[in-house]
Amino acid sequence: MTRRKFVCGNWKMHKTVAEAVAFVKELEAALGEAKGKVQVAVAPPFTALHAVARAATGTSVEVAAQDVHWEAKGAFTGEVSAAMLAEVGCRHGIVGHSERRQLFGETDETVRKKVGALLAAHLQPIVCVGETLAEREAGRTLEVVGRQVRAGLAGLSAQELERLTLAYEPVWAIGTGRTATTAQAQEVHAAIRAILRELGAPVADRIRIQYGGSVKPENAAELMAQPDVDGALVGGASLEPNGFAAIVKGALR
Ligand code: PEP
């Protein structure tokens, strides 16, 4: 089964509106032969979403939000709903990022609620899962990731599952320069795919599973050549358009 590779840049708390808009133009120019062959998205901070979506209109670059609240509206100071994200031109929403889990109290339950809210607003969730270094060293990687996948996707229909992307991001590899080996990534990706088969048998082979954690131009092609690695979620190395385009092109090799 061939799945079109999907590479998303997560800018975290970086870039002004002007910087973000300029990036889209430079990225589109740098994508070259990868344009249309690889699905590409960037996740700017909330403040730049509208402007980036406008700048990306007519290009091959799609827009993702870094987070979302699960309620449609109400007294939730500081939060943004899925419908609000859709209105400004977002197509995807990242949920369950390890920084949200570790620093802002994200749980498997809130991930599941956010997935539901994104799907209801016709957005495509990118659901992040991954173990800490202590969990890996204790031999608990597959147990932890399995729990996050099952809880984050609980009760979704096959049609709903098909609309989402998973991102395996070992916490120890995020922003550390330390990347999972191709064998480590493939092992967990295959385990996630096996769970997806249990949850929604016929569609499991169509769901993309991205790898995230210190992906850079030098290691992107090798990681994405693994049979169950269907793209990348890229933090630090997505902040510079030529380097990010080089990562995207790694999906063609
Ligand atoms: C991320 O935060 O999703 C990420 C993978 O970061 P980095 O590429 O910087 O490790």
Side-chain angles (χ1 to χ4, degrees):
M1 165 100 217
T2 24
R3 293 173 286 270
R4 187 158 79 116
K5 298 268 197 292
F6 178 23
V7 179
C8 180
N10 171 17
W11 291 352
K12 312 191 183 188
M13 201 167 72
H14 293 286
K15 293 196 189 293
T16 63
V17 173
E19 289 166 346
V21 166
F23 179 102
V24 173
K25 293 182 183 141
E26 289 170 46
L27 175 63
E28 177 71 359
L31 282 176
E33 48 167 353
K35 231 177 268 182
K37 294 195 184 127
V38 182
Q39 188 174 3
V40 180
V42 292
F46 285 126
T47 46
L49 284 173
H50 195 183
V52 168
R54 276 194 191 190
T57 303
T59 74
S60 53
V61 181
E62 298 171 4
V63 182
Q66 296 177 19
D67 192 20
V68 64
H69 190 67
W70 57 85
E71 292 289 348
K73 59 170 82 157
F76 303 105
T77 301
E79 297 293 335
V80 173
S81 77
M84 292 169 184
L85 297 174
E87 186 196 19
V88 297
C90 282
R91 176 147 177 215
H92 311 269
I94 299 172
V95 295
H97 191 279
S98 66
E99 284 151 20
R100 302 295 321 169
R101 291 182 192 258
Q102 292 193 317
L103 305 173
F104 302 102
E106 185 89 288
T107 64
D108 292 337
E109 288 67 41
T110 58
V111 169
R112 174 62 185 87
K113 289 202 254 185
K114 291 176 179 188
V115 167
L118 288 168
L119 290 171
H122 307 290
L123 294 174
Q124 298 174 3
I126 299 173
V127 183
C128 303
V129 297
E131 81 287 1
T132 63
L133 185 58
E135 288 162 345
R136 174 161 283 269
E137 286 176 344
R140 295 183 52 224
T141 298
L142 298 185
E143 169 208 325
V144 169
V145 170
R147 187 207 72 223
Q148 292 171 335
V149 172
R150 285 174 206 283
L153 310 185
L156 295 178
S157 68
Q159 288 89 330
E160 288 171 323
L161 286 173
E162 203 175 355
R163 290 173 47 208
L164 53 82
T165 298
L166 269 292
Y168 168 55
E169 300 207 297
V171 179
W172 48 271
I174 295 181
T176 59
R178 197 176 153 190
T179 317
T181 63
T182 50
Q184 284 172 327
Q186 172 57 27
E187 181 197 18
V188 180
H189 282 234
I192 293 173
R193 183 133 6 246
I195 296 172
L196 294 174
R197 279 202 188 98
E198 277 171 41
L199 296 176
V203 296
D205 286 327
R206 295 206 284 273
I207 300 171
R208 271 90 54 90
I209 308 174
Q210 297 171 323
Y211 168 80
S214 298
V215 174
K216 36 190 183 268
E218 298 76 42
N219 59 23
E222 196 192 3
L223 283 159
M224 290 189 277
Q226 299 305 303
D228 287 292
V229 179
D230 310 311
L233 185 54
V234 187
S238 73
L239 292 170
E240 193 281 308
N242 291 309
F244 185 53
I247 291 173
V248 173
K249 287 177 188 162
L252 295 175
R253 280 191 262 142

